[in-house]
RNA sequence: GGCCCGUUCGUCUAUCGGUUAGGACACCAGGUUUUCAACCUGGGAAGAGGGGUUCGACUCCCCUACGGGCUGCCA
């Protein structure tokens, strides 16, 4: 086995919230590294000073944290490393793999226009300074361009896309250091990935073409090229590029909508990746199974139904304490009122009968409404309809019977059945008003479970309220 | 325009030349049931189109169509 530990990284631009697609990229990097005892690093690509904001950085860190994607060490600021980037650009200059280019934006535009006028189908800019004698250099601002090969081809050995060949004459001599001495993204990523010891670059396939130029920088510096893995982007349900009109695109939205983090991880892992028929799994299983070879090559669409189904599975198998903790966090994220100590206690007691019926936290809370609400209970219209005069009379009698009952499921069952039989009605006819009285809803957990959770005194009080 | 990538049920996908093309979500039907769920059983549902290669193609090659990406002194 190789002794070289795996190092991956997630490198978002802090220009907005953490996108669901970015979150999945981070997840893949995290799974790959963590599943193999490697490191997962975080780098904030904040070199675009106009668009980068500290708020966006905070939102990204928060989103990753919510998803449980922990990174090693401190997040690296790309902007802070600008001197190092410039240093490498000058080293390339010294090595003769880069040169000073004095061409102005106007000259470049003119070059392209001229080529197109000649009927060229494309116009890769060719700087006149590429092989110029330094003695002829003017005293003017210059950019540093990489001296890229003009013939031959560059092959990207990609773990997802296979070998991708790009003709070198399709690529221009990209600028590595701007005339204001700031590094370009193309240079910065390569230098940072190299310095951070990144062994596997797993990122969106919108960077696939860039990889060829970046590989040239590695070559120019004599550095080892990392393993590339360009993963397809996520699309909206309609197959179009994900955008705001698709609804939730920020991971924060999903948290605020009450999706459990474990369900999100499971769903996102399966979006564009598969291992046989594995569908539902916890994080440890995902860590053990995940590999680059299971990543698909075509963009996947978001399917909220499947997300919900996956989340339901995770909620049902969550441990109560952890679930409660996550529900409290959800309430805060959704800016809903926090639970009182009494509500927390009752919700905890009610979890066993609600957690396997909910796909999201708001749904779970709705199912647990009977435990969280307090008297007097105002029934919803559908529930109120069940509390007619006859039903109230029966409830009154039931109340009497319950006052001396042992509060066990077995005894409650026999009492309810006796009352129903005595009135010549089916159990459903009795359960319906009882449900309305206890919860004020027409869709609830079993009436027995509700009575057991809220207890004898509260049950009787609610029945008396309803019968009055 | 040029270059690069992609295309299996509605959706996520399995298949790595030979399968009645499998699973999951969703959907439909039935069952269970005190409601809503959950759960159980069954069902419909796919290889973009056209050429090759091969004894044999979803799998390999080419073309077309469609989708996406790149083509910046943005990242």
């Amino acid at each position: 086995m190789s002794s070289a530990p795996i190092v991956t990284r997630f490198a978002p631009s802090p220009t907005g919230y953490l996108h669901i697609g970015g979150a999945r990229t981070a997840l893949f990097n995290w799974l790959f590294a963590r599943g193999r005892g490697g490191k997962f690093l975080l780098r904030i690509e904040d070199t675009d000073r106009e668009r980068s904001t500290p708020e966006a950085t905070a939102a990204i860190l928060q989103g990753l944290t919510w998803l449980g994607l922990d990174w090693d060490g401190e997040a690296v600021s790309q902007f802070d490393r600008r001197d190092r980037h410039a240093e490498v650009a000058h080293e390339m200059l010294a090595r003769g793999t880069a040169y000073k280019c004095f061409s102005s934006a106007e000259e470049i535009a003119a070059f392209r226009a001229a080529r197109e006028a000649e009927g060229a189908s494309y116009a890769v800019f060719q700087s006149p300074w590429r092989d110029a004698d330094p003695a002829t250099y003017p005293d003017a601002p210059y950019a540093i361009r990489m001296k890229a090969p003009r013939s031959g081809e560059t092959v990207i050995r990609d773990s997802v896309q296979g070998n991708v060949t790009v003709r070198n004459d399709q690529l221009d001599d990209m600028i590595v250091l701007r005339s204001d001495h700031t590094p370009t993204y193309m240079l910065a990523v390569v230098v940072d990935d190299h310095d951070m010891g990144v062994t596997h670059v797993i990122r969106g396939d919108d960077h696939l073409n860039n990889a060829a130029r970046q590989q040239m920088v590695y070559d120019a510096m004599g550095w080892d090229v990392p393993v590339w893995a360009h993963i397809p982007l996520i699309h909206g349900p309609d197959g179009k590029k994900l955008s705001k009109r698709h609804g939730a695109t920020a991971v924060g939205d999903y948290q605020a909508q009450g999706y459990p983090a474990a369900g999100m991880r499971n769903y996102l892992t399966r979006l564009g990746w598969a291992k046989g028929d594995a569908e539902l799994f916890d994080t440890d299983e995902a860590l053990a199974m995940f590999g680059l070879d299971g990543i698909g090559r075509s963009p996947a669409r978001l399917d909220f139904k499947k997300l919900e189904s996956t989340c339901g599975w995770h909620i049902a198998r969550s441990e109560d304490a952890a679930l409660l903790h996550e529900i409290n966090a959800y309430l805060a994220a959704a800016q809903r009122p926090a639970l009182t100590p009494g509500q927390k206690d009752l919700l905890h007691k009610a979890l066993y009968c609600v957690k396997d019926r909910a796909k999201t936290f708001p749904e779970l809370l709705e199912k647990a409404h009977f435990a969280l609400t307090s008297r007097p209970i105002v029934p919803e219209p559908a529930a109120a309809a069940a509390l007619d005069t006859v039903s109230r009379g029966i409830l009154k009698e039931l109340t009497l019977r319950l006052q001396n009952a042992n509060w066990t499921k077995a005894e409650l069952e026999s009492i309810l059945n006796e009352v129903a039989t005595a009135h010549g009605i089916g159990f459903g006819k009795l359960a319906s008003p009882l449900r309305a009285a206890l919860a004020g809803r027409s869709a609830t957990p079993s009436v027995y479970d509700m009575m057991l959770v809220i207890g004898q005194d509260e049950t009787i009080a609610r029945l008396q309220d309803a019968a009055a």
Side-chain angles (χ1 to χ4, degrees), chain A residues 96 98-101 126-137 147-148 150 173:
Chain A
Y99 60 93
K100 295 179 182 178
C101 173
Q126 296 189 316
S127 172
W129 302 98
R130 179 174 161 115
D131 297 305
D133 180 347
T136 67
Y137 285 173
K147 198 180 238 178
R150 281 189 173 167
D173 289 346

Side-chain angles (χ1 to χ4, degrees), chain A residues 6 17 38 74 104 120 124 193 231 343 346 385 397 418 430 432 466:
Chain A
I6 282 167
Y17 48 73
E74 291 295 306
S104 65
V124 172
D193 282 340
I231 65 180
Q343 285 178 315
L346 279 167
E397 185 193 327
E418 282 169 28
L430 176 58
S432 185

Side-chain angles (χ1 to χ4, degrees), chain A residues 147-168:
Chain A
K147 198 180 238 178
R150 281 189 173 167
S151 60
E153 45 194 31
T154 298
V155 179
I156 305 300
R157 302 192 184 286
D158 193 285
S159 294
V160 173
Q161 308 288 340
N163 288 349
V164 178
T165 304
V166 180
R167 272 167 46 203
N168 291 152

Side-chain angles (χ1 to χ4, degrees), chain A residues 30 62-70 261 265 283:
Chain A
W30 182 85
Q62 203 280 327
L64 291 174
T65 301
W66 175 62
L67 276 173
L69 307 183
D70 58 324
R265 276 199 301 273
T283 302

Side-chain angles (χ1 to χ4, degrees), chain A residues 380-458:
Chain A
E380 288 184 336
L387 290 169
D388 53 57
T389 315
V390 177
S391 298
R392 291 213 298 271
I394 298 175
L395 287 188
K396 205 167 279 181
E397 185 193 327
L398 175 63
T399 308
L400 260 32
R401 296 288 309 271
L402 292 175
Q403 267 160 351
N404 299 314
N406 269 327
W407 216 246
T408 65
K409 185 168 185 184
E411 182 150 348
L412 292 176
E413 270 177 349
S414 67
I415 291 173
L416 292 204
N417 282 321
E418 282 169 28
V419 171
T421 307
H423 287 83
I425 57 175
F427 186 72
K429 285 283 183 199
L430 176 58
S432 185
L434 180 53
R435 174 173 295 109
L438 293 173
R441 301 284 148 103
S442 53
T444 72
S446 133
V447 291
Y448 299 118
D449 286 332
M450 290 196 289
M451 289 190 283
L452 258 12
V453 168
I454 63 177
Q456 187 164 22
D457 293 347
E458 179 70 16

Side-chain angles (χ1 to χ4, degrees), chain A residues 21-48:
Chain A
R24 193 197 49 159
T25 301
L27 174 64
F28 279 16
N29 275 285
W30 182 85
L31 283 170
F32 188 71
R34 289 275 184 268
R36 281 151 224 271
K39 286 190 172 175
F40 171 64
L41 308 177
L42 182 59
R43 182 174 70 236
I44 305 299
E45 307 214 319
D46 51 359
T47 54
D48 185 333

